[in-house]
Amino acid sequence: MTYLKYAVLAGALTLAATVTSLHQAHAEQCEQESFEEAKYVVCTLEPGKADLRLFWKNADDAPYRTFSSLAEAVRAEGRTLAFAVNAGMYRADFSPMGLYVENARELQRANTTKAESSTGQVPNFYKKPNGVFFLGEASAGILPTSEFLKRRPKARFATQSGPMLVITKKLNPIFIVGSTDRTRRSGVGVCDDGAVRFAISEDGVNFHDFARLFRDHLNCPDALFLDGGRGVGLYNPEMGRNDRSWHGGYGPIFGLVE
């Protein structure tokens, strides 16, 4: 075999291996998993290697609202939106309920309001403690809101939601074993291996079981609830998913850009 033919063959094999590796890595981002008879989609990303961002408003200063509109905006920049989920609770105008940091700019201040309820039903965002997911240059973290405000870690992106699901390997003590409050839920965890894992339930689950998914199955010592019911959504073209919110759209959105 001549040197030229050998070089061409070696280059082709390297390219094929690279394409295969990229395809496998992409395919493994989101997987269907089961935990205690409930079905989930779990998406795993590595900070520093994955271009995970937070999105809220487009170039016209209007909320994206749908995964499709965000995908179009990313495509216009010559990139691809590979994955997206709701990034926390939002108001009727699609603005974040609490702290929101995008590209190191604080666009919404932290919400430390204590909700009062005559019926005893405190909205999920205000259940204590709520927390902040934040993403730095090469790592991610989740802290109760009060701790985040004390430490003020440097963050490129941050979103506040609630309640916390898992706090330093302990379940939030407000959760009730066997609760009948079951609905679809979404959340995010920062796990023992440093990976960020998003979980979207396909079945109705209560808070206690959802928190155990992160702690006991996904090995995440810290996890934060993002939203439930009609606010749960997933965008993943490889799985044929482009969910829509029954609230008329989404507020802040996590998006993986490739």
Side-chain angles (χ1 to χ4, degrees):
M1 181 182 293
T2 66
Y3 175 79
L4 178 60
K5 287 182 178 180
Y6 178 82
V8 171
L9 178 60
L13 290 173
T14 300
L15 177 60
T18 301
V19 170
T20 300
S21 176
L22 289 172
H23 175 74
Q24 288 175 343
H26 187 76
E28 290 173 0
Q29 281 171 6
C30 295
E31 298 180 324
Q32 294 180 329
E33 298 191 25
S34 295
F35 177 65
E36 296 183 342
E37 300 183 358
K39 296 179 181 178
Y40 299 89
V41 175
V42 177
C43 301
T44 302
L45 308 174
E46 292 187 46
K49 296 182 180 179
D51 190 1
L52 178 65
R53 309 179 192 176
L54 277 167
F55 298 90
W56 174 19
K57 293 182 177 181
N58 59 25
D60 296 323
D61 201 36
Y64 285 104
R65 293 179 55 175
T66 67
F67 296 139
S68 293
S69 64
L70 175 57
E72 290 174 8
V74 171
R75 193 178 303 116
E77 297 177 356
R79 307 291 294 278
T80 299
L81 183 68
F83 153 80
V85 293
N86 174 357
M89 295 167 209
Y90 47 94
R91 305 181 190 278
D93 63 356
F94 306 103
S95 63
M97 285 285 292
L99 178 73
Y100 181 83
V101 176
E102 184 177 318
N103 294 319
R105 293 178 57 227
E106 185 177 295
L107 303 182
Q108 195 90 329
R109 297 180 63 184
N111 185 341
T112 58
T113 303
K114 182 178 180 180
E116 301 292 343
S117 174
S118 58
T119 64
Q121 295 295 320
V122 176
N124 287 331
F125 180 89
Y126 297 101
K127 290 177 179 177
K128 299 299 181 184
N130 62 21
V132 175
F133 170 92
F134 58 97
L135 188 65
E137 291 298 329
S139 62
I142 298 174
L143 288 170
T145 300
S146 59
E147 285 297 310
F148 181 89
L149 295 177
K150 285 179 184 177
R151 301 186 194 182
R152 287 288 180 178
K154 190 173 182 180
R156 290 177 58 236
F157 298 98
T159 182
Q160 181 184 3
S161 191
M164 290 281 292
L165 297 170
V166 187
I167 311 161
T168 57
K169 297 186 178 181
K170 295 183 179 180
L171 302 185
N172 190 325
I174 67 172
F175 299 153
I176 301 170
V177 178
S179 170
T180 57
D181 178 15
R182 305 176 71 85
T183 187
R184 293 185 65 221
R185 302 186 190 275
S186 63
V188 60
V190 177
C191 308
D192 282 337
D193 57 1
V196 173
R197 290 190 169 89
F198 295 92
I200 299 93
S201 74
E202 301 289 67
D203 302 313
V205 294
N206 62 37
F207 270 122
H208 187 271
D209 294 345
F210 193 47
R212 287 190 59 247
L213 168 81
F214 280 96
R215 187 190 67 177
D216 302 340
H217 183 65
L218 301 179
N219 299 316
C220 303
D222 296 287
L224 179 66
F225 180 65
L226 294 175
D227 212 337
R230 295 180 174 183
V232 175
L234 169 67
Y235 175 86
N236 187 288
E238 287 200 351
M239 300 182 77
R241 293 287 291 270
N242 184 8
D243 300 349
R244 299 184 66 87
S245 170
W246 288 87
H247 298 302
Y250 298 105
I253 296 172
F254 280 113
L256 174 64
V257 177
E258 295 184 339

